[in-house]
Amino acid sequence: MSLLSSFKKRSTLDAAIKQVAQARKSEGSKAEQLYKGAYQGFANVIADHLIVSEALYHWGFGLLHEARTQEPKAAVEIYEDAISKFSFCLLISPNYLGAAIDGGVAFMELARISAEAAKPDLYDLAEDFFEKACAIQKGSAAYNLACVYALRGDNDACLAALQTAREFGSLPDEQNILQDDDMAGVINAPWFKAFMEEVRATPAPEKTKLKDIEINVEPGFKIEKKEDFDYYS
């Protein structure tokens, strides 16, 4: 980092720290604006630091997998920690696809072990992450979105997402879809059976690829990694 760049970042950091101090003394919308301005300043200071983004992503990735090994009570806190890492990663690297997908994954898995009353809000948060992933790379989280819609009972949206997943090559194999608990509420519906018949009747599109790395979104929201390369940017 050049001396000038370092000076600019120091100046931006100092300004953001001052905004937080001002926000603490303010109220209402003024305080909210000051906090948001400060957070953007903090993000600008660490923006473009790829190694920071990768560290955050892989930290969250590790936490996500650790949570799966724990009892629900202990897993909740680990899932929340993973989500914070993915969120921070996206704050400083908005196009980090892996963080967008796995952030949604974490919310979906957290929903599975949470009380019924909490599930709708967690699905909403997962949807936000998956939509961000699709904005980064179209269709990359379409199947994940289909699962969210299936759990909500939104059949039209579920079908549209499945069609998008098929179009962009991110639709899992039929056996995996039929074994996916998230899709259990729709697999006997006439529209779903018609969709699967159409899938069987026509060749599958090529899998979605990013930088020559295959992204294979399976039920359970796992991404298949190739050649030990697990960064999707």
Side-chain angles (χ1 to χ4, degrees):
M1 182 186 297
S2 69
L3 182 62
L4 179 59
S5 177
S6 178
F7 177 78
K8 285 182 177 179
K9 286 185 179 292
R10 179 72 251 182
S11 178
T12 300
L13 177 58
D14 289 343
I17 292 170
K18 289 179 181 178
Q19 281 185 299
V20 170
Q22 292 171 354
R24 291 177 62 193
K25 298 175 183 178
S26 303
E27 296 180 355
S29 60
K30 183 179 179 181
E32 185 177 350
Q33 279 187 325
L34 286 165
Y35 278 123
K36 286 183 177 179
Y39 299 154
Q40 186 57 56
F42 294 139
N44 290 340
V45 170
I46 57 178
D48 302 322
H49 284 208
L50 180 59
I51 194 168
V52 176
S53 303
E54 290 200 45
L56 286 166
Y57 170 69
H58 289 288
W59 192 349
F61 187 79
L63 288 164
L64 176 61
H65 283 265
E66 180 188 0
R68 293 170 179 167
T69 69
Q70 303 297 312
E71 294 298 320
K73 188 175 181 180
V76 168
E77 184 175 347
I78 301 174
Y79 276 124
E80 290 174 346
D81 196 4
I83 290 164
S84 72
K85 300 299 185 293
F86 294 135
S87 298
F88 193 24
C89 178
L90 287 168
L91 179 64
I92 61 176
S93 294
N95 292 322
Y96 207 124
L97 181 59
I101 293 178
D102 283 345
V105 168
F107 272 120
M108 290 295 285
E109 295 186 8
L110 179 58
R112 293 185 189 119
I113 61 172
S114 297
E116 288 298 319
K119 292 183 188 296
D121 287 341
L122 293 171
Y123 293 151
D124 288 346
L125 292 166
E127 181 182 12
D128 289 342
F129 271 84
F130 294 144
E131 286 182 343
K132 183 182 289 290
C134 287
I136 296 169
Q137 179 166 311
K138 194 165 184 180
S140 59
Y143 178 74
N144 306 70
L145 284 169
C147 289
V148 174
Y149 301 141
L151 288 164
R152 287 183 184 151
D154 189 342
N155 294 337
D156 290 341
C158 182
L159 176 58
L162 288 170
Q163 290 170 334
T164 300
R166 180 167 178 259
E167 178 184 356
F168 288 92
S170 60
L171 187 71
D173 295 336
E174 179 177 354
Q175 182 178 2
N176 289 330
I177 297 173
L178 296 177
Q179 292 176 347
D180 187 349
D181 290 341
D182 292 338
M183 301 298 290
V186 301
I187 59 175
N188 291 318
W191 64 264
F192 179 84
K193 292 181 178 180
F195 170 76
M196 293 309 303
E197 287 177 5
E198 183 181 347
V199 170
R200 295 184 205 107
T202 55
E206 292 184 5
K207 292 291 185 182
T208 300
K209 290 189 176 182
L210 182 71
K211 291 185 178 179
D212 298 323
I213 304 301
E214 182 177 318
I215 299 174
N216 187 13
V217 183
E218 300 288 352
F221 308 101
K222 296 178 182 177
I223 304 175
E224 181 178 323
K225 296 176 287 184
K226 296 292 185 181
E227 300 177 359
D228 296 324
F229 189 84
D230 47 24
Y231 167 55
Y232 311 94
S233 106

